[in-house]
Amino acid sequence: MVGLLIGLWLFVFAFIIKPFDDGTINLRAWFYISFSFSCMAFLCYGLLAIIQKKVYKRIGKWNISLEITAISLFHLLYLMGVFAFYKSPVLNGGYSFSEFFSVIFIKVALIVTPVIILARRYLIKLIPIKGDLLIIKGENKLDILKINKADLVCISNAQNYVEIFYLENGKLRSKLIRSSLKKVQDDFDFLIQIHRSHLINPMHFKSWRNTNTIILTQIELPVSRNYKETLLTL
């Protein structure tokens, strides 16, 4: 939706402002150029969306620094795309890269950036939250726990059971459910294994206590050497 909005906005901008106009391009050609201009924006934002999704899936969080990086990456992708189009046989533009950047692209960036920021902030509120509520079930019918994903801290093996540690009203609670650590990990692939007996929610990773121990929210857990490399990316 954001990509479509940006594409539409840039189509209107290019068609009305005519940033490449030298007086020799007719109305039909300008429609084609403006359409190509907006399609390039849509494709660049689509590529950004793919990259953004992979980054978010990997680290499980998003913040203002990542937001600024994402918007900057869109501008970089779009700059390369529209400059290539500008130099193509369709336009055969005469500006060098530095001239194109200073004369044309900066104006485009100033026009587009507020739209991107507002659209991303508003439209994210319209996306239904999926997977926020976790339902953890055991082998027995009474073995069930419903918690928010953000409240799950970690899960530990306890012989034929797993012990689930979660937050309730800001306090750490736990519940035993008859299941295996392997099944829980298969059911909830966002969990990261740090030890043969422990899975963690990466959202609650705080810091390293030492080379063999990590600090989570209100709990500390040992880390096996085999899983240390995965944690070093958090």
Side-chain angles (χ1 to χ4, degrees):
M1 292 180 68
V2 176
L4 288 173
L5 181 62
I6 295 170
L8 178 61
W9 177 247
L10 282 172
F11 174 82
V12 173
F13 169 77
F15 192 71
I16 295 176
I17 302 301
K18 297 180 173 60
F20 308 129
D21 193 10
D22 58 2
T24 63
I25 304 176
N26 60 37
L27 187 65
R28 182 177 180 180
W30 261 116
F31 179 87
Y32 169 72
I33 292 170
S34 301
F35 181 75
S36 302
F37 204 67
S38 63
C39 283
M40 183 64 69
F42 177 77
L43 291 174
C44 290
Y45 195 88
L47 179 58
L48 171 67
I50 294 172
I51 297 171
Q52 177 178 287
K53 183 177 180 180
K54 290 183 177 180
V55 171
Y56 180 77
K57 187 175 181 180
R58 182 177 180 83
I59 66 177
K61 63 181 180 180
W62 199 257
N63 53 39
I64 187 65
S65 297
L66 290 170
E67 183 71 5
I68 293 172
T69 301
I71 295 174
S72 300
L73 179 58
F74 166 77
H75 285 310
L76 178 61
L77 294 171
Y78 191 52
L79 172 60
M80 293 188 295
V82 293
F83 183 71
F85 176 64
Y86 174 74
K87 284 294 189 179
S88 70
V90 176
L91 293 179
N92 195 25
Y95 283 145
S96 66
F97 181 82
S98 60
E99 291 172 331
F100 178 86
F101 179 80
S102 60
V103 176
I104 296 175
F105 189 78
I106 287 180
K107 296 177 183 178
V108 174
L110 292 174
I111 290 293
V112 172
T113 301
V115 176
I116 297 176
I117 294 173
L118 292 174
R120 286 169 67 91
R121 288 192 63 183
Y122 176 72
L123 292 179
I124 195 68
K125 299 177 182 178
L126 303 181
I127 299 175
I129 298 175
K130 297 180 179 180
D132 190 50
L133 181 66
L134 303 180
I135 302 177
I136 306 174
K137 296 181 179 180
E139 297 177 7
N140 301 323
K141 291 183 178 180
L142 299 181
D143 281 346
I144 185 170
L145 177 65
K146 293 183 179 182
I147 54 174
N148 289 325
K149 180 179 178 180
D151 292 333
L152 176 62
V153 178
C154 61
I155 300 177
S156 298
N157 186 43
Q159 294 183 350
N160 295 326
Y161 293 80
V162 292
E163 187 171 10
I164 303 165
F165 294 87
Y166 60 98
L167 297 177
E168 185 176 74
N169 298 323
K171 295 183 178 181
L172 189 66
R173 309 287 188 187
S174 68
K175 179 178 177 62
L176 285 173
I177 286 181
R178 190 175 181 86
S179 184
S180 67
L181 212 62
K182 178 70 167 58
K183 183 180 184 306
V184 173
Q185 189 174 27
D186 290 341
D187 291 341
F188 306 104
D189 58 2
F190 68 92
L191 295 173
I192 295 177
Q193 188 159 13
I194 64 166
H195 188 277
R196 65 179 182 179
S197 299
H198 303 294
L199 301 172
I200 68 166
N201 183 349
M203 296 173 62
H204 288 278
F205 173 79
K206 299 297 183 183
S207 63
W208 289 83
R209 169 70 70 188
N210 51 51
T211 57
N212 299 312
T213 308
I214 60 169
I215 301 174
L216 304 175
T217 304
Q218 300 185 32
I219 193 172
E220 296 182 12
L221 291 176
V223 178
S224 294
R225 182 175 57 184
N226 294 338
Y227 301 103
K228 191 174 294 185
E229 288 298 323
T230 303
L231 275 174
L232 290 174
T233 63
L234 294 179

